[in-house]
Amino acid sequence: MSTVLKCIAVDDEPLALGLVCSFIEKTPFLELVGRYDNGVEALKGLHALPPGGVDVAFLDIQMQELNGLELARVLAQAGGPRVVFTTAFSQYAVEGYRVDALDYLMKPFNYEEFLRAAGKARTYAERDQAAATPAAAPPEEDSIFLKVEYQLVRVLLADILYVEGLKDYVKVHLKSSPRALLSLMSLRAMEEKLPARRFLRIHRSFIVALDKIEAVRRLTVQIGEATLPVGDQYKEAFGQFLSRWT
């Protein structure tokens, strides 16, 4: 996963601000989108950016008007970017973590220390992105295995016309063969094996492949030479299928 984090730097000391900005610009996975010399201007700048326009804010703590801790609280309430504090005063460390700061860099810090904090920000961003991305649905199987006599036989779903229930057995009628397959299993178990998107039970004794239906007449379904009844308890489900096409 390739993640580029958009960053701002806020510090009222020009040299310190310039250093943080230079560190951001030399880090491949960071992009500087704003630099501000006080918290009020930073807040204005953030409001001017689109939602989600900043991923990480590097904030000095001791600033006039609106200090870094106050700014961090405002950002947290607005669901803003993660915060890395940069300060020369260690007494703010505990309070910094109370506002859920991602890291706390003590001035003077070097690039290696900065890079560790930036790496932590990237790790959290990638976790958030992975959590927000829906898992891909597993591909639908194109076949099933049935126990026929003393062997397992692979049957393509596209080859099935309909399935007939015969007490403890099912009879699977195929497009490719005039001879149906007989397998020891209940029709309910067979129904659970077949994808509901492609197959529908229309009777206590029949499951049909929906794309093999050639005609519907009253309460019967025509598939090839077979005319299959639609049972009373299956009328509603079958009616819902028909409504998609009428």
Side-chain angles (χ1 to χ4, degrees):
M1 183 184 298
S2 177
T3 302
V4 176
L5 305 180
K6 299 184 186 305
C7 307
I8 63 168
V10 188
D11 201 311
D12 60 358
E13 299 176 17
L15 290 177
L17 180 59
L19 182 68
V20 172
C21 290
S22 69
F23 283 172
I24 293 172
E25 289 171 337
K26 71 188 288 186
T27 305
F29 58 87
L30 301 182
E31 178 186 351
L32 182 65
V33 296
R35 55 185 293 166
Y36 308 96
D37 59 11
N38 65 77
V40 174
E41 290 303 316
L43 199 55
K44 290 179 181 177
L46 285 168
H47 280 309
L49 292 171
V54 177
D55 301 300
V56 186
F58 292 90
L59 306 182
D60 182 25
I61 290 182
Q62 233 183 21
M63 296 184 291
Q64 295 182 1
E65 294 188 77
L66 185 68
N67 68 39
L69 289 169
E70 293 166 339
L71 178 56
R73 291 191 192 100
V74 173
L75 296 180
Q77 290 172 358
R82 293 188 179 274
V83 169
V84 175
F85 285 121
T86 62
T87 183
F89 300 94
S90 59
Q91 67 265 32
Y92 291 117
V94 173
E95 196 170 353
Y97 285 114
R98 283 178 182 163
V99 295
D100 200 24
L102 186 65
D103 212 336
Y104 190 96
L105 292 171
M106 282 293 299
K107 296 176 182 178
F109 53 86
N110 57 31
Y111 181 62
E112 182 181 357
E113 293 170 304
F114 174 88
L115 195 57
R116 277 199 298 268
K120 188 184 294 187
R122 179 171 64 171
T123 298
Y124 275 89
E126 289 176 346
R127 286 179 188 171
D128 292 345
Q129 186 177 340
T133 304
E140 186 177 286
E141 298 293 335
D142 64 353
S143 62
I144 58 173
F145 281 90
L146 296 177
K147 189 174 182 180
V148 179
E149 295 180 349
Y150 299 103
Q151 60 182 341
L152 287 173
V153 176
R154 181 171 177 260
V155 180
L156 293 174
L157 296 179
D159 195 27
I160 298 174
L161 296 172
Y162 64 95
V163 183
E164 184 178 358
L166 303 170
K167 292 187 178 179
D168 297 328
Y169 289 84
V170 292
K171 195 173 184 181
V172 183
H173 297 264
L174 304 174
K175 181 180 179 181
S176 63
S177 172
R179 182 183 176 188
L181 296 177
L182 195 64
S183 182
L184 179 60
M185 65 188 306
S186 68
L187 193 62
R188 179 178 293 276
M190 185 65 176
E191 185 179 9
E192 291 173 355
K193 270 181 170 286
L194 298 170
R197 188 176 64 84
R198 299 175 62 177
F199 294 87
L200 181 67
R201 189 165 181 174
I202 62 167
H203 189 273
R204 61 187 177 86
S205 299
F206 295 105
I207 298 171
V208 298
L210 295 173
D211 64 343
K212 302 300 191 301
I213 295 175
E214 297 175 9
V216 178
R217 299 183 185 90
R218 294 185 181 177
L219 291 178
T220 62
V221 169
Q222 190 74 30
I223 297 180
E225 297 181 359
T227 301
L228 309 176
V230 178
D232 288 342
Q233 70 185 94
Y234 301 96
K235 286 179 184 177
E236 184 177 351
F238 187 65
Q240 291 175 356
F241 161 71
L242 290 180
S243 68
R244 291 182 294 177
W245 306 101
T246 56

